[in-house]
Structures are given as structure tokens and as C-alpha cells.
Amino acid sequence: MTRLSVLGVAFGTGLAAGAGMLLLFRVINYRKAVRQLSFLIPRESLDAWAEATERKLEAAGVRFRGRLYTVGVTLAVLASLYVGIFVFRNFVAALLMATAAVLLPDQFILQRTESRKLKMLEQMATAVRIFAAEFTQTPQIGKALGEVAARVPDPLGAVFRDAYRAVSLGKALDDVFSDLMVRLDFGPGRMFVQLLMAARRDSSVAPLFGELVTRLAVLLELIRKNRSELYADRLLSWIMLAAMVPAYLVMRATVPETYEFLSGTVAGRIVVALCFLSVIVWVVMDRFMGRVEV
């Protein structure tokens, strides 16, 4: 059997499995379905997914529980499969809709994370400047962190307040630096933590904080330029995505034959599939070409 045949069989098996799952939910009640699925999907996997999602939401500054997010995405996937199969009678479109239901929320979180990191990067220049001024006068890392925590607003201020609180409570500086390295998960943030580690052993490295401020200024200028070019394109893309459903409802209200065309003809089914395929292509292209590295 050729490789193409193997892929065809695997794809067909996946489609059949998806259809079987939908029929299972339609025949048996919800609790029984959950018990059946628990044998297929280990609870540990679901818990790990929820915990990873919780960390992503926290990094993006989204106040939402990871478990609620995973439940919402799962329901969106099931609803997409139902609409695609039983409303539009288009199995390919159903798979594309379900894929989009997973990718779009994740894309939103990714963009929020980038925005949050950019905000922290902008505040980082101020934080390093304040730290350098205080550390030059009194070479005490804890006191300098406290000055930054008091004068820098959120979201970066929250990171330094937690660090200063940990130092005040007697936590080891190595552990504080490790926590900062995790939370300042971008290039200049990691460089700042490395300078903190060096400054703990040798206070003569204080001038290097000034050099970091200069590098931050140059980096910010480049990132803002790139981001300004992407912002309009991303905003237009989200508007077009949000307009898909209202456009369909308007077309169906004004042209009653719209539904019959989209669900009952080959051309209409191709149109529906291409609409959701374009969503997936946009997400993939944005991640590869539109991401602003911070």
C-alpha cells in the first residue's frame, strides 16, 4: 500500500470516528457520554491541558479560568461539528469549522500575550532606569527592587512588587531571580535578570544597566514600527471574521435560496468550506509572518 493510500485510509478513519462521536452524543445522555469519553481521554491529559491553558491565560492577562476556557472550546468544537454536518450537510466544512473553533481563541490569546509583553517592554526601560539610579547610590538589590515596585505601574509593576515582597520575607535571592526569569520571559527581561545576578556579586556592573536602557530604546523603536504596520491588517482581519455570520444571516433574509444553495449544491458547499479554510490559513500565516518578536 502506498503512502498516499495509507494517508487516505487514516483520514477516512478520522472522519468516521468524528461522525461516530457526534452520533454517540445524540443517542445517549450527557453523563453517560462523559463516562464513555473518560476511557478514551485520560483525566490527567485534560488536567494538563487546563493547567497549560491557565498559564497561557495568565501570561496574556486574561482573567479567565483555564478549565472554563477548555470547556468553552470543547463546546465550540462540538457545536461547529453539529452545524457543519447537520445544518449545512458539509463534513469538510464541519472539520474546518471545528479547527477554526480551536485556533481562533488561541490566536486571540497569542495576540494578547504579544501586546502584554510589548507593554512590559515599554515599562522595562523605565524600570531599569529607576533600578540603576537607586543601585548606584545604595548598592542593595532589595532596596532598588522596592523602588521599582513603588514607581512602575502594572503589568510590570506587579512582577517587581511580588519580587520585592519575596525579598522582604527573606526568600533566597537565587529563588527570586529564578521567578523573575520566568515572568520576564522576553529578551531584555532575561538580560536584566542576568545583570541582577552579576550585580549581586559585583556592584561595579551598575553601568551596564545604562547600556541596557539604550538597547531597550532602539529595540522599542523597531518593534513599534513593525507593529504599527501589522495592527491595521490584524484589525481588518478580525472585523472580516466577525462579519461572516451577520453577512450570512443578511443574505439568507434577503435571498431565501441562500441556504439551499450553500447546503444543497456542490458549489455552495465549496464556498462554505473555503470560507472556513481562509480562517485557518489566516491564523497560520499570521503566526508565521505576522508575529512581533519581543
Side-chain angles (χ1 to χ4, degrees):
M1 185 178 291
T2 64
R3 181 178 299 179
L4 184 60
S5 300
V6 173
L7 291 176
V9 171
F11 184 70
T13 304
L15 296 184
M21 294 300 297
L22 287 176
L23 292 175
L24 178 66
F25 276 105
R26 289 172 63 87
V27 172
I28 59 180
N29 59 53
Y30 172 78
R31 290 185 178 179
K32 189 175 180 181
V34 172
R35 288 197 299 270
Q36 295 289 335
L37 288 176
S38 64
F39 292 103
L40 301 176
I41 305 176
R43 183 178 180 84
E44 291 77 8
S45 300
L46 296 177
D47 292 341
W49 181 27
E51 291 175 2
T53 303
E54 189 90 35
R55 290 192 294 269
K56 289 172 60 177
L57 291 171
E58 182 179 355
V62 178
R63 297 181 179 276
F64 205 74
R65 295 293 300 276
R67 293 184 183 276
L68 292 178
Y69 175 87
T70 54
V71 169
V73 170
T74 302
L75 292 177
V77 169
L78 294 176
S80 300
L81 291 173
Y82 179 85
V83 170
I85 293 174
F86 297 106
V87 177
F88 287 102
R89 301 192 294 272
N90 190 332
F91 201 86
V92 175
L95 291 177
L96 295 174
M97 290 168 65
T99 304
V102 175
L103 291 179
L104 284 178
D106 192 65
Q107 180 70 8
F108 173 76
I109 293 175
L110 178 63
Q111 293 183 3
R112 283 292 301 269
T113 303
E114 289 182 359
S115 299
R116 184 178 174 86
K117 284 186 176 181
L118 179 59
K119 181 66 175 177
M120 294 176 69
L121 184 63
E122 292 173 345
Q123 295 175 333
M124 195 70 200
T126 303
V128 176
R129 192 178 297 111
I130 294 172
F131 182 91
E134 182 65 28
F135 187 76
T136 301
Q137 295 179 1
T138 56
Q140 300 177 16
I141 292 179
K143 186 176 181 180
L145 287 176
E147 190 67 21
V148 175
R151 296 174 58 182
V152 176
D154 291 341
L156 187 63
V159 176
F160 281 99
R161 283 195 296 273
D162 291 342
Y164 178 65
R165 187 180 302 113
V167 173
S168 301
L169 293 175
K171 189 173 183 178
L173 282 180
D174 289 337
D175 296 334
V176 175
F177 294 157
S178 298
D179 293 340
L180 282 175
M181 186 69 77
V182 172
R183 299 186 66 179
L184 300 178
D185 188 22
F186 49 95
R190 291 188 291 269
M191 291 176 61
F192 175 72
V193 177
Q194 291 171 355
L195 285 178
L196 286 180
M197 295 177 180
R200 179 190 177 187
R201 298 187 298 269
D202 184 5
S203 60
S204 63
V205 303
L208 295 179
F209 289 103
E211 295 182 12
L212 179 58
V213 172
T214 303
R215 296 186 61 178
L216 277 167
V218 176
L219 180 61
L220 273 173
E221 184 177 354
L222 293 175
I223 290 178
R224 285 170 179 162
K225 181 180 178 180
N226 295 334
R227 188 173 178 83
S228 63
E229 296 174 355
L230 291 172
Y231 179 78
D233 295 336
R234 281 182 168 176
L235 180 60
L236 180 61
S237 298
W238 281 110
I239 292 174
M240 293 177 65
L241 291 176
M244 289 177 61
V245 174
Y248 165 73
L249 295 176
V250 170
M251 290 177 59
R252 185 169 180 176
T254 56
V255 184
E257 296 82 7
T258 299
Y259 173 72
E260 286 73 15
F261 169 74
L262 294 177
S263 62
T265 65
V266 175
R269 291 174 179 173
I270 292 176
V271 169
V272 174
L274 288 177
C275 286
F276 290 98
L277 178 61
S278 66
V279 175
I280 298 173
V281 171
W282 168 72
V283 171
V284 174
M285 294 296 292
D286 185 80
R287 294 194 179 193
F288 277 97
M289 302 179 63
R291 187 170 183 178
V292 178
E293 293 292 340
V294 177

